[in-house]
Amino acid sequence: FAKNICPLGKYMILQEIEYCKQNKLTMYYLGYYIHSCSKMRYKIEYQPSELLCPTTFRWVDASEARAIIEKESPDHHCCTLAPNDNIDNKAKEQFPSKTNIDRKIAKTIPLDVGLESYVTIDMLQENGQDIVRPLVEEFVSHVGTELSHQFILKLI
């Protein structure tokens, strides 16, 4: 297959989109989109396209979402993409605003600092805590309290 004509991956996507059209399927899922992964950026090229907001569970136009990600969280690539005014109460509990974050939760997130075992914020030196705490709290606010416990944050 000639790469200079059409890369195989793109050709397969176009074939799958054609299949969806022929079978009157209205949606085609390209899989996860990770903004910081350059190999996944091709997914945003297909239009119309939407991304699911990780905090409000609402679909947002991909071009708008990309602009929001680049403006609001250029380093971490994780932020709220849609307003949460109609989000249900259970979801609000799972995804607290930054001001409502229980610091105890952030203190329990395991951190990989390159040692043999994981550490928590309290195990870092004071200046390290001052640097890491806001990042961990931001992570918890975007991912949610339940899901954040399933991660180990690698500090590099």
Side-chain angles (χ1 to χ4, degrees):
F1 200 81
K3 269 190 162 183
N4 58 351
I5 296 173
C6 181
L8 183 59
K10 286 188 179 194
Y11 175 76
M12 291 305 302
I13 290 171
L14 295 173
Q15 290 292 84
E16 290 171 356
I17 291 171
E18 185 59 32
Y19 173 85
C20 291
K21 286 180 181 179
Q22 289 173 358
N23 291 282
K24 300 188 183 354
L25 301 172
T26 59
M27 302 286 182
Y28 173 64
Y29 180 62
L30 282 169
Y32 290 112
Y33 173 76
I34 301 172
H35 187 74
S36 58
C37 179
S38 61
K39 290 185 178 187
M40 290 195 170
R41 294 244 172 102
Y42 72 91
K43 294 177 182 186
I44 214 154
E45 295 172 12
Y46 297 91
Q47 299 293 327
S49 182
E50 296 178 320
L51 295 180
L52 183 64
C53 176
T55 59
T56 64
F57 306 109
R58 289 185 170 169
W59 292 99
V60 179
D61 176 77
S63 298
E64 291 175 28
R66 183 178 186 179
I68 292 168
I69 292 168
E70 290 173 355
K71 179 184 176 202
E72 299 295 325
S73 189
D75 297 326
H76 310 295
H77 307 294
C78 181
C79 60
T80 298
L81 303 173
N84 65 358
D85 50 339
N86 291 327
I87 193 169
D88 64 45
N89 287 334
K90 185 176 181 183
K92 281 183 182 176
E93 290 170 12
Q94 265 192 334
F95 297 96
S97 66
K98 280 186 186 181
T99 57
N100 295 332
I101 291 177
D102 183 352
R103 286 187 176 235
K104 291 179 185 173
I105 294 167
K107 288 181 178 183
T108 63
I109 305 296
L111 307 172
D112 179 354
V113 294
L115 301 173
E116 290 182 19
S117 59
Y118 303 125
V119 300
T120 59
I121 290 175
D122 290 342
M123 298 167 78
L124 299 174
Q125 293 179 355
E126 190 173 333
N127 62 342
Q129 291 180 20
D130 294 340
I131 294 168
V132 173
R133 183 178 291 109
L135 299 173
V136 175
E137 289 176 358
E138 179 185 13
F139 170 78
V140 172
S141 74
H142 290 306
V143 174
T145 55
E146 270 186 52
L147 192 58
S148 64
H149 284 103
Q150 298 178 27
F151 288 86
I152 297 168
L153 299 182
K154 184 170 181 78
L155 304 179
I156 53 172

